[in-house]
Amino acid sequence: MLLSGVSLLHPEDAVFDAMLVGWARQQLGGRRLQPRTVTGRQRIVRRFARFTNAYPWQWSAADLDEWMTHLIGELRRAPATIRLYQGALRLFCDYITSPHYQWPAECETRFGTHPVQICHEWNTVAHLVDYEGDPKRRPMTREEIQRFLDYADDQVDWAIRRGRKGALAAYRDATVFKAIYGWGLRCGEVAKLDVADFYRNPKAPELGRFGCVHVRFGKRSRGSAPRRRTVLSVMPWAAEAVEDYVTHVRPRCSAAAQSPALWPTERGGRLQRREIEERFAAYRDALGLDRELVPHCLRHSYVTHQIEDGADPVFVQHQVGHRSGSTTALYTGVSGDFMNTMMRDVLDRALDGGQQG
């Protein structure tokens, strides 16, 4: 990364920049990470350097402790954010302290010292659970979902009655929300669906070609490629809604013939996650629902309602693509009525057993 025999005007800055460039190449080439992931990690390292006003070969564990105190005590950063920052620093220190990349020897030659690992088990947050999202982002109740989907359908009727151009887009977006809830999808997963991703399930012939959906762009983990999975259709009304959209509405979009996307835009592009989130927020606010609710809450609701309806938790786990059952459990927030029903069943069985004894 540094040319031999060349005198550097500002050696400290040049070495630090070269470290970041080399680290980026290692992640992009060797680990095949996404550029935005690498760029985000570089920003964290630079932010830490500005906070300490020191270079990596001068950092110590005490510097990390001071930064964490600032982030937690003054800026009130969430545990997941703290872990993200610590993870980036740990990986950077792993890179610059590895003898394979020769930075320790280079720093000893130029500055008379060498970088050390500053992130250890005793000064970083332990990763004990798979999900640390905001607890306010709860599953939506069945009543809230019904109100929300009814309102989305009403926007289509409203646009048609007034001769507005947005009727097709409103119909598309209403179907998007039904698909998120109907198959428990993430926002990014539903946005990247193609028409060809739906196909028949021989065990559910009554659903036609919408018996399954193949999710090709599931959530990445640790630099891996998007995880694929097949989600079985368990809500017939959702399959009917998508079928009606594909058959009668999508063909009326001028860009549909040239695009494989399930949700094409009027300009021929693919519906983006941000657009789904913005439309959801507009409907949510118009209905006066909790502002903490986001499209991902529909996915939480899918998990909760499947469990309430008696689906096997392992089946639900595979449907939503969770590698750990504990994550699925964290997504589940069964209602008070469900808990009371379960309590009554258990209590009745206990009383019956006592009477028989």
Side-chain angles (χ1 to χ4, degrees):
M1 298 306 303
L2 294 172
L3 297 177
S4 60
V6 176
S7 179
L8 301 176
L9 183 60
H10 300 288
E12 293 86 356
D13 293 335
V15 171
F16 185 25
D17 290 341
M19 284 177 168
L20 288 172
V21 172
W23 186 43
R25 291 182 179 178
Q26 178 223 36
Q27 295 175 91
L28 292 169
R31 299 194 60 200
R32 308 290 293 175
L33 297 184
Q34 293 293 301
R36 63 181 180 182
T37 300
V38 176
T39 302
R41 289 176 174 177
Q42 287 178 315
R43 283 198 296 266
I44 293 171
V45 172
R46 288 194 181 276
R47 192 176 305 158
F48 180 64
R50 288 194 298 270
F51 178 84
T52 61
N53 196 28
Y55 294 99
W57 50 92
Q58 300 169 331
W59 293 346
S60 67
D63 293 324
L64 178 67
D65 295 341
E66 187 177 351
W67 195 42
M68 292 299 106
T69 300
H70 171 68
L71 292 175
I72 297 171
E74 299 179 25
L75 301 185
R76 307 293 183 184
R77 293 292 184 260
T81 302
I82 296 300
R83 179 170 297 109
L84 176 68
Y85 289 177
Q86 293 175 349
L89 287 173
R90 178 186 286 110
L91 291 172
F92 179 69
C93 289
D94 283 342
Y95 168 73
I96 62 176
T97 57
S98 170
H100 300 292
Y101 295 102
Q102 303 177 19
W103 289 115
E106 184 70 26
C107 291
E108 283 283 1
T109 301
R110 291 183 179 273
F111 312 117
T113 185
H114 59 83
V116 297
Q117 176 60 265
I118 64 173
C119 298
H120 308 279
E121 291 184 2
W122 41 266
N123 69 344
T124 55
V125 180
H127 193 177
L128 301 179
V129 298
D130 292 327
Y131 177 73
E132 294 178 323
D134 188 341
K136 294 179 182 178
R137 292 187 176 177
R138 56 172 176 78
M140 298 173 68
T141 66
R142 297 176 192 264
E143 292 76 16
E144 287 174 332
I145 290 178
Q146 190 63 59
R147 285 181 61 202
F148 184 88
L149 296 181
D150 287 345
Y151 184 83
D153 288 338
D154 290 342
Q155 301 315 295
V156 181
D157 296 336
W158 183 87
I160 293 174
R161 287 197 304 269
R162 287 161 178 76
R164 297 295 181 89
K165 293 175 59 178
L168 293 178
Y171 200 110
R172 176 202 63 202
D173 294 344
T175 312
V176 167
F177 297 131
K178 295 171 185 175
I180 293 175
Y181 175 59
W183 284 272
L185 303 178
R186 299 179 177 91
C187 228
E189 293 172 346
V190 76
K192 295 178 181 178
L193 287 178
D194 288 346
V195 177
D197 289 331
F198 282 92
Y199 56 94
R200 296 178 180 275
N201 180 358
K203 299 297 184 180
E206 64 272 22
L207 300 180
R209 56 168 294 199
F210 296 92
C212 304
V213 60
H214 184 53
V215 177
R216 293 177 293 113
F217 295 94
K219 187 176 182 180
R220 296 172 178 266
S221 62
R222 300 183 182 273
S224 66
R227 287 157 51 191
R228 299 185 175 214
R229 72 180 187 279
T230 297
V231 184
L232 305 180
S233 304
V234 294
M235 298 187 185
W237 64 266
E240 293 173 2
V242 175
E243 181 179 18
D244 183 67
Y245 164 79
V246 171
T247 304
H248 301 109
V249 178
R250 185 180 178 276
R252 300 179 63 180
C253 177
S254 58
Q258 290 75 36
S259 174
L262 180 60
W263 323 107
T265 64
E266 295 178 355
R267 296 183 178 181
R270 185 183 291 271
L271 187 67
Q272 298 299 307
R273 173 178 175 174
R274 172 183 53 79
E275 298 173 280
I276 298 173
E277 292 172 342
E278 289 176 351
R279 182 67 72 113
F280 180 95
Y283 290 178
R284 175 202 65 202
D285 294 345
L287 288 168
L289 298 176
D290 293 343
R291 294 187 62 83
E292 291 83 5
L293 296 176
V294 294
H296 201 71
C297 293
L298 292 170
R299 175 173 159 87
H300 284 240
S301 303
Y302 172 88
V303 173
T304 293
H305 297 161
Q306 287 300 300
I307 296 296
E308 287 185 349
D309 291 341
D312 187 286
V314 176
F315 170 77
V316 178
Q317 175 186 337
H318 288 296
Q319 286 279 91
V320 296
H322 288 157
R323 293 196 297 182
S324 171
S326 61
T327 307
T328 308
L330 287 164
Y331 270 54
T332 308
V334 294
S335 66
D337 289 342
F338 175 80
M339 294 297 292
N340 287 330
T341 300
M342 292 298 99
M343 178 273 294
R344 189 69 256 173
D345 289 345
V346 173
L347 188 58
D348 288 343
R349 286 198 298 269
L351 292 174
D352 290 344
Q355 292 173 357
Q356 291 175 1

